Amino acid sequence: MPASAFTTGFALGATLIIAIGAQNAFVLRQGLRREHVLLIVTFCALADLLLISVGVAGLARILGDAPGLTMALTVAGTLFLIWYGIRALARARKAGSLHAATGTHRITLRSALVQAAGFTFLNPHVYLDTVLLMGSIGARQPADMRMWFVTGAAAASGAWFTTLGFGARLLRPVFQTSRAWQILDTVVGLTMLALAASLAGKIH
């Protein structure tokens, strides 16, 4: 049944994506700042759709047989997370530049999309969860049901990023003080460095 495949994909997608991570933290921060939110949300949702689709189509098997590629992604992801984590902690030290109402130090659309791409495609967990896990489960669906599985998983991703990006404005009153931005960037920075440390432990 199409509904069953769609529900399976949606439930699995929601379970994997709703977690504290680098990509979610970035979308949340941009949502709070109201910077390029629509394009960032669209990019993240379409990227998930692409990764889920190619995973179900067979990339899961390719990655599973290519440990060298997986290791290269792990190294690149670790370096990227360290870089962003240090930047976030540096922002946290400059309270004056973080006031939500001032709109200072806005990032360009190009920079926002480059960072979103980094958090998406340089994250090894994306390939382990979205490509390998979802791809293998989706591939087990009957051939005529795989499209519904992918649609369900992509719908969960799109709903989550939309909620995170545009729902963040409800928290905006809390972030009208520099102190709140300092706390957010400190949490984001420490989260990135913790993720980098966990990935570094897998490099050998």
Side-chain angles (χ1 to χ4, degrees), residues 7-83:
T7 302
T8 299
F10 189 94
L12 181 60
T15 299
L16 292 176
I17 198 171
I18 301 176
I20 297 175
Q23 187 186 50
N24 286 340
F26 177 71
V27 174
L28 174 63
R29 189 175 192 281
Q30 294 307 114
L32 286 168
R33 292 175 63 89
R34 296 184 181 179
E35 290 181 344
H36 319 299
V37 180
L38 177 59
L39 288 178
I40 289 174
V41 166
T42 301
F43 176 88
C44 291
L46 290 178
D48 265 13
L49 172 60
L50 173 64
L51 291 168
I52 295 166
S53 298
V54 297
V56 172
L59 186 57
R61 180 176 299 178
I62 295 175
L63 285 178
D65 295 334
L69 177 58
T70 302
M71 184 57 61
L73 290 170
T74 300
V75 173
T78 299
L79 294 176
F80 182 81
L81 289 173
I82 291 174
W83 170 76

